Amino acid sequence: MSFTFDDSATVGIVFNDGAADALISAADSADQVLRGEGGFLDGAMDHAVEDFKGGYAQLFTQACAIRADDRARLAGVLAMLAEDVRQAKLKAQEEKSRLKKLTAWRQRADARERELASLDPARQSVALLSKVNDPKPEETRVAPPTISAVFSAHDRARFAGGSGGGTSSADPGKLRGFVSQSRASANILDAELGRIRNAWSAFTAACSWVNSGIVTFVSGFEQLLAENAADAVWLEHIAAAFETAGSGSMADIMLNSALIQYAPPGQVGLTDIGALNVDQLKAWLAAPANKDRLQGLLQQPGLDPGAIAKWWAGLGHKMVGRAMEPGEAQLLLIDALPAVLGNLNGITATARHEANLKRLFTEQDRINAELASTPRFLPASQGLSITNPAWTLLQTQQKALDGIRGALVNAGASGDAVLLGFDLTNGSPKAQVSAGNPDTADNVTYAVSGMLITPQSGFNDWAQNAYDLRAKQRDVDPGKSFAVVAWINYEPPTVPTVNSGDAAQAGASRFIADLHGFNAVREGLGNRTPETLHVLAHSYGTTVTSNALAAAKLDVASFTMLGSAGIEKEIQNAGDLHVPAGQVYASEAEGDGLARWGRHLRQDPRMESFDAKVFSSEEATIDGTQYQGITEHNSLVHREDGDGYGYLDKNTTALYEAALTTTGHGDRVLPGERPEPPYVGAAAYK
């Protein structure tokens, strides 16, 4: 007869009582030290809050409460850990005893078997009797316990935020007293952490018979000490801020600036960012999440350009002669978000120009990269190739970018063109370039183009018109400075859609937003007068701008219309345009054969009932100078032989008269012809 034994029963279990005792001792010690920290810190905390008032005092009180709760929870977890290890030790001893007894019995049983085999049958009965008197010990194993110890520390808020005008007060010495006490406690707790970390590591290695459940108390302990250390640094920053201020109270917004590094991005507002100094702003922008937050704040719908202008000015301009240049903090933001700031109303034209020059390069890099990976043709189902729409779009964007560069050259022959904005990716390309600086010019004219003028086609000419108008304004009103904005910041109609008002309505909304932005900047700079802003428009641009002027009070000093494609019938007369009486002008040349067709369903602003002042665009001699008459609808005609002139060509009556109307000298214009009834589009007036 033979027996088979479970060999595992002979090897015992891996459980070292010494390692268990060391862990119990470490857990008990840390438990006691944690429970005693409250008494160690309470006096220092009470002392600190005696003079600590305001939002950050509330955060300090909350942080202390969280700290107290966390250490109590951790102490409880460690106490339970110690008890669990004690119980595990008892279970291990029980299992060791069982295994020891079972092993001894098996040894006896094995000896009996050997003895039984050597005896004659008469004596085997006696041997079998001894087996009956030695029953087998318990074979069922003691189940190894599972030890879990779960703890994680809570985060603590350290940024009050808010844009209110509140103040906070503190005694820096008392705050530093708490910091000193906290760090002394931290040294003690750090020693306890090291002891229990080592004890747990040794226990898991020497007591692997025990199962490990979820165990996070070591990392949680580390997190608690990290939060305590962060509180100490945070309080030092607060104390230093009050010491720098030289008094026991200071504006909350200044404390926010010193402590914005602790703010979750979503808690930071524009006012907080605007109060940062250059070093603080640089550090804050270094985090991608913070840059994303700023972009979101600046792109939210319904931003007030007046608020943006005030915020931007608070970051600090610098004047170089008559030029407005961005300050160091503003340049940091331009570098961080050029695509946002380049088109943001309320930002100075000079800053937008700086941002947009950067964008000229980044957009070119983007287009080049996308063209390199975009095939020109796509395979068609018939086996032929069709042009890839994505490739066509990139070609349009490239032409627009080229057009913007050309417009800058044409508007800035004297070196002072300003790129106020451009957009190649949201709908059709759009742009606006100024001949002269709108931030500082005494007189600023927004010139709005008409049908088919886009950055990729015609922008060069419209920028040339802006430059030429500015030159003529200087002639008629010397001693003043001028800027003329070539504005094509909308999607103009094509020939089939010119009689629709949809593009004009959409363009009017964009025009209103841009003029609100201009007004906000100039008012913020303190150089806005009732005579500062003028509007001139050509063709369908008159439909866009008249809609805008009727819909909003934009403080425009004059409105000049050239070859109008018509005013919507809902605008009854010039009095609806929020322009000073007598400062709405209109002109249309006899040689313009296209304007009337744009007015198929709209009214002619030269009608008597509309009450605009009509001036001439025909050939004339004025003060001894011969001016050419307009021969076609365009604003600029490229004919070297001089056989043909557009409304804003050099040496034309229309250009000279427009310079008068946009500089406050409209009383000097030559009267023009009003249309004779029946009018084109007369059905619109019934």
Side-chain angles (χ1 to χ4, degrees):
M1 182 180 293
S2 64
F3 295 90
T4 302
F5 298 105
D6 181 358
D7 292 336
S8 65
T10 66
V11 298
I13 61 172
V14 180
F15 190 95
N16 183 282
D17 287 356
D21 290 339
L23 179 57
I24 292 168
S25 175
D28 284 340
S29 176
D31 172 16
Q32 294 302 314
V33 171
L34 282 164
R35 294 183 190 278
E37 190 196 41
F40 186 73
L41 287 181
D42 283 349
M45 184 188 74
D46 292 340
H47 194 53
V49 298
E50 287 176 354
D51 302 290
F52 200 7
K53 310 298 178 186
Y56 285 94
Q58 294 175 9
L59 291 180
F60 172 66
T61 302
Q62 292 168 9
C64 289
I66 292 171
R67 179 172 181 167
D69 179 70
D70 279 350
R71 67 172 174 254
R73 289 191 301 110
L74 178 57
V77 168
L78 294 175
M80 184 60 68
L81 173 65
E83 182 59 28
D84 287 346
V85 174
R86 288 188 184 96
Q87 293 301 316
K89 181 180 176 183
L90 292 175
K91 291 287 186 182
Q93 289 171 347
E94 182 182 345
E95 175 65 357
K96 286 178 180 179
S97 176
R98 184 192 71 81
L99 288 172
K100 183 177 181 180
K101 292 176 181 178
L102 185 59
T103 299
W105 179 88
R106 283 173 173 164
Q107 290 172 347
R108 291 194 302 274
D110 187 52
R112 280 193 297 268
E113 288 295 325
R114 290 193 300 271
E115 181 183 4
L116 187 63
S118 66
L119 295 176
D120 57 64
R123 300 179 61 184
Q124 285 182 351
S125 60
V126 176
L128 289 172
L129 181 62
S130 66
K131 180 179 180 180
V132 172
N133 293 328
D134 187 12
K136 188 176 183 178
E138 178 64 51
E139 286 190 288
T140 303
R141 297 177 180 181
V142 175
T146 298
I147 291 181
S148 295
V150 179
F151 171 77
S152 62
H154 292 108
D155 294 334
R156 304 173 197 175
R158 300 186 180 92
F159 183 72
S163 57
T167 59
S168 294
S169 60
D171 183 331
K174 292 179 179 179
L175 296 183
R176 293 190 184 279
F178 179 87
V179 169
S180 176
Q181 197 83 337
S182 177
R183 284 179 172 157
S185 175
N187 290 334
I188 297 171
L189 284 174
D190 192 56
E192 295 296 323
L193 169 62
R195 181 183 175 192
I196 199 167
R197 184 196 290 119
N198 293 336
W200 173 253
S201 178
F203 176 79
T204 56
C207 302
S208 59
W209 175 72
V210 175
N211 295 321
S212 289
I214 301 174
V215 179
T216 61
F217 77 93
V218 172
S219 61
F221 202 157
E222 293 169 345
Q223 184 184 5
L224 174 61
L225 295 189
E227 287 290 325
N228 294 349
D231 271 350
V233 175
W234 174 62
L235 284 171
E236 284 186 325
H237 283 317
I238 295 174
F242 279 103
E243 288 165 347
T244 300
S247 68
S249 64
M250 63 187 302
D252 287 341
I253 191 66
M254 298 307 296
L255 268 178
N256 290 347
S257 298
L259 302 168
I260 198 170
Q261 61 184 298
Y262 296 105
Q267 194 178 347
V268 176
L270 284 175
T271 302
D272 298 317
I273 300 167
L276 300 177
N277 62 36
V278 172
D279 291 335
Q280 291 167 339
L281 181 59
K282 185 181 297 183
W284 187 79
L285 286 172
N290 291 339
K291 189 182 295 185
D292 292 342
R293 170 62 175 174
L294 177 57
Q295 180 168 340
L297 288 170
L298 295 177
Q299 290 184 320
Q300 59 187 315
L303 274 182
D304 175 15
I308 292 296
K310 183 177 180 181
W311 171 76
W312 185 253
L315 291 166
H317 310 287
K318 55 183 179 181
M319 294 296 297
V320 179
R322 283 181 60 90
M324 178 80 60
E325 294 189 4
E328 193 173 355
Q330 292 173 335
L331 287 173
L332 282 175
L333 294 182
I334 289 170
D335 284 337
L337 297 172
V340 176
L341 295 179
N343 289 300
L344 184 60
N345 282 314
I347 302 296
T348 58
T350 316
R352 290 171 67 167
H353 179 69
E354 186 83 22
N356 288 320
L357 289 183
K358 294 179 181 296
R359 294 179 59 224
L360 287 177
F361 294 102
T362 58
E363 283 292 83
Q364 184 64 71
D365 290 343
R366 175 189 65 81
I367 291 171
N368 289 343
E370 292 185 21
L371 279 172
S373 60
T374 303
R376 181 172 181 176
F377 299 106
L378 294 177
S381 57
Q382 296 84 359
L384 303 175
S385 291
I386 59 174
T387 302
N388 185 351
W391 183 87
T392 301
L393 177 61
L394 288 169
Q395 291 297 313
T396 298
Q397 293 175 357
Q398 181 64 67
K399 290 178 182 177
L401 203 59
D402 293 340
I404 291 167
R405 292 193 186 100
L408 275 171
V409 172
N410 286 0
S414 55
D416 56 358
V418 176
L419 183 52
L420 284 175
F422 70 94
D423 186 355
L424 304 183
T425 57
N426 296 304
S428 65
K430 305 170 188 70
Q432 45 184 320
V433 167
S434 178
N437 194 327
D439 287 342
T440 54
D442 299 321
N443 178 299
V444 179
T445 301
Y446 270 73
V448 180
S449 60
M451 181 179 70
L452 300 177
I453 304 299
T454 64
Q456 60 271 26
S457 176
F459 195 21
N460 289 2
D461 286 353
W462 194 242
Q464 184 66 54
N465 290 152
Y467 180 83
D468 292 340
L469 176 59
R470 181 192 184 206
K472 187 56 67 176
Q473 288 173 329
R474 286 168 161 172
D475 290 342
V476 302
D477 200 351
K480 288 186 178 180
S481 58
F482 295 91
V484 179
V485 179
W487 192 90
I488 56 170
N489 195 26
Y490 79 110
E491 186 171 352
T494 59
V495 174
T497 61
V498 71
N499 289 123
S500 168
D502 293 345
Q505 287 290 358
S509 296
R510 298 179 69 87
F511 190 65
I512 289 170
D514 284 349
L515 261 60
H516 277 320
F518 168 82
N519 287 332
V521 169
R522 292 296 295 255
E523 287 164 5
L525 295 175
N527 60 359
R528 176 74 165 86
T529 72
E531 294 78 34
T532 297
L533 179 61
H534 301 259
V535 173
L536 175 142
H538 172 248
S539 188
Y540 194 83
T542 66
T543 313
V544 174
T545 49
S546 59
N547 284 350
L549 294 171
K553 293 182 179 180
L554 300 172
D555 297 322
V556 169
S558 74
F559 177 37
T560 302
M561 294 173 276
L562 303 173
S564 176
I567 310 301
E568 302 293 355
K569 62 182 179 180
E570 292 79 10
I571 303 173
Q572 296 183 1
N573 55 52
D576 291 341
L577 299 177
H578 302 108
V579 177
Q583 295 302 311
V584 176
Y585 302 90
S587 184
E588 185 175 315
E590 188 69 27
D592 182 349
L594 292 179
R596 68 193 68 177
W597 301 113
R599 297 194 295 265
H600 179 61
L601 297 175
R602 292 186 283 264
Q603 57 185 312
D604 188 336
R606 297 176 300 152
M607 294 188 313
E608 189 79 39
S609 60
F610 193 76
D611 199 27
K613 189 170 184 178
V614 179
F615 62 89
S616 175
S617 289
E618 310 303 332
E619 182 179 354
T621 300
I622 305 172
D623 296 332
T625 301
Q626 180 73 27
Y627 292 96
Q628 303 297 326
I630 306 310
T631 61
E632 56 184 86
H633 181 66
N634 290 331
S635 63
L636 185 64
V637 177
H638 293 284
R639 293 187 182 174
E640 295 182 1
D641 57 8
D643 186 18
Y645 297 92
Y647 282 97
L648 295 174
D649 262 311
K650 291 181 180 180
N651 303 318
T652 60
T653 302
L655 177 65
Y656 176 78
E657 304 282 73
L660 293 174
T661 63
T662 56
T663 57
H665 300 295
D667 56 325
R668 292 162 49 186
V669 298
L670 295 176
E673 296 288 333
R674 292 190 182 276
E676 296 290 336
Y679 307 115
V680 173
Y685 319 128
K686 292 181 180 178

